[in-house]
Amino acid sequence: MSPRRLWIVLLLAVTACWGASFAIIHEAVEDVDPYVFVTLRFAVAAALILALGRGRMLAAITRSTLRDGAWLGLLLAAGYLLQTAGLARTSPSNAAFLTGISVVLVPVLLAFGGWRLPRTGWLAIVLASVGLGILTLDPQTLSLNLGDALSIGCACAYAGQIVLTGRCSSRHDLWALTFVEFVVTTLISAAVWAISGAPTAGLDLPGVWGALGFASVLCTVIAYLVMNAAQRVVSSWEAGLVFTTEPIFAAVVALALGVEPWRLRTTIGGLLILAAMVTAEAAQRSAGAKEGDEEGGAPSPEGDAEYKRKDAPHLSA
């Protein structure tokens, strides 16, 4: 097997872990408060990044790293707090598909900054909107479940985080920026935990710590390391297509574990959102190719990075 194919397989394994984490965290937050879970998850992740990066990483932290890392941490904390709180109130597959809408929202945010949204981008927005309605709105009352609303808010925060990461990550040491980002996420989550007065009940359960270990070590730190290495041989376009399978893994695992029953609405709405995610990736690819043609060269790596920086920590459960 060629190195490129091996890294694609590893990216697929990481994506499967992210998908599985929706069901695992959904079960965990039935026993422990979501704010407690997010705080401990990123505290462990930050400690591991510090242990792996050591003194070299700390020496690379500058004032601008602290500033950009703080903004990224704020958006990341908002995304994870909303997502984890949403998982306590909606199904894992709904949360996964709704989180995936962030891929569609990224080019929309970039369009406000002057990036031209191609026709396929508008098609992605239409597909995502229809899928969103089918997936979340109650057929009788057309009301929105609180958990679904929180998951949509999470997707918005993630989209903003992706755009900001693409704009500032090239200016900093990636390990240093990620460490600051994780520390800020931990502090904000801890503050929300303290303000809410969330109880620590459930922390004595082995299943909760198993979920925390899975989420912080495998789905955050190890996943980040794999992505960082894979992006040296796998294009963002290929990685993006791999990442669109995350909601599929989430739905399959949730069904296999009996966490939620099969629903036709989930299948139809989820497939439409999945199609929107793939279409959004195609829009990015098309825009990059056109930009390269206009400049008489290859697609702009800067535009690709701004669209979705894949060597940054992934924004999933």
Side-chain angles (χ1 to χ4, degrees), residues 197-228:
T200 57
L203 289 179
D204 57 335
L205 299 176
V208 170
W209 284 101
L212 273 169
F214 181 78
S216 59
V217 178
L218 190 58
C219 295
T220 305
V221 176
I222 293 179
Y224 159 76
L225 294 174
V226 169
M227 281 191 299
N228 192 33

Side-chain angles (χ1 to χ4, degrees), residues 207-297:
V208 170
W209 284 101
L212 273 169
F214 181 78
S216 59
V217 178
L218 190 58
C219 295
T220 305
V221 176
I222 293 179
Y224 159 76
L225 294 174
V226 169
M227 281 191 299
N228 192 33
Q231 280 301 107
R232 297 176 182 178
V233 293
V234 178
S235 70
S236 292
W237 164 246
E238 292 170 318
L241 288 180
V242 172
F243 294 152
T244 58
T245 63
E246 180 184 13
I248 298 175
F249 284 116
V252 170
V253 171
L255 289 172
L257 295 179
V259 175
E260 62 175 288
W262 178 83
R263 295 186 307 162
L264 181 60
R265 282 176 56 201
T266 300
T267 302
I268 296 175
L271 287 175
L272 285 170
I273 291 176
L274 182 63
M277 293 168 66
V278 174
T279 303
E281 289 288 346
Q284 178 268 330
R285 177 69 169 178
S286 173
K290 288 180 179 178
E291 184 176 345
D293 290 340
E294 290 174 0
E295 296 177 356

Side-chain angles (χ1 to χ4, degrees), residues 36-97:
V36 177
F37 189 92
V38 174
T39 301
L40 294 177
R41 171 180 182 170
F42 279 94
V44 172
L48 288 173
I49 289 290
L50 178 61
L52 293 170
R54 299 178 183 176
R56 176 179 172 274
M57 179 194 69
L58 293 177
I61 296 178
T62 64
R63 185 174 297 180
S64 62
T65 304
L66 292 173
R67 182 196 63 227
D68 291 345
W71 282 110
L72 289 170
L74 175 63
L75 289 169
L76 192 63
Y80 271 102
L81 288 169
L82 289 168
Q83 183 186 69
T84 309
L87 270 169
R89 298 168 175 84
T90 191
S91 66
S93 59
N94 267 33
F97 281 116

Side-chain angles (χ1 to χ4, degrees), residues 14-157:
V14 165
T15 305
C17 290
W18 286 328
S21 69
F22 281 91
I24 293 171
I25 294 175
H26 174 81
E27 293 291 280
V29 293
E30 290 185 352
D31 298 317
V32 68
D33 188 87
Y35 303 144
V36 177
F37 189 92
V38 174
T39 301
L40 294 177
R41 171 180 182 170
F42 279 94
V44 172
L48 288 173
I49 289 290
L50 178 61
L52 293 170
R54 299 178 183 176
R56 176 179 172 274
M57 179 194 69
L58 293 177
I61 296 178
T62 64
R63 185 174 297 180
S64 62
T65 304
L66 292 173
R67 182 196 63 227
D68 291 345
W71 282 110
L72 289 170
L74 175 63
L75 289 169
L76 192 63
Y80 271 102
L81 288 169
L82 289 168
Q83 183 186 69
T84 309
L87 270 169
R89 298 168 175 84
T90 191
S91 66
S93 59
N94 267 33
F97 281 116
L98 293 175
T99 299
I101 291 176
S102 62
V103 175
V104 181
L105 293 176
V106 167
V108 176
L109 291 179
L110 288 175
F112 284 105
W115 189 76
R116 185 177 180 182
L117 188 65
R119 292 180 181 178
T120 46
W122 290 109
L123 175 60
I125 294 171
V126 172
L127 289 171
S129 300
V130 175
L132 181 68
I134 294 175
L135 194 66
T136 61
L137 296 180
D138 184 279
Q140 273 78 40
T141 64
L142 296 182
S143 59
L144 186 65
N145 174 278
L146 176 59
D148 291 338
L150 292 172
S151 297
I152 295 171
C154 156
C156 294

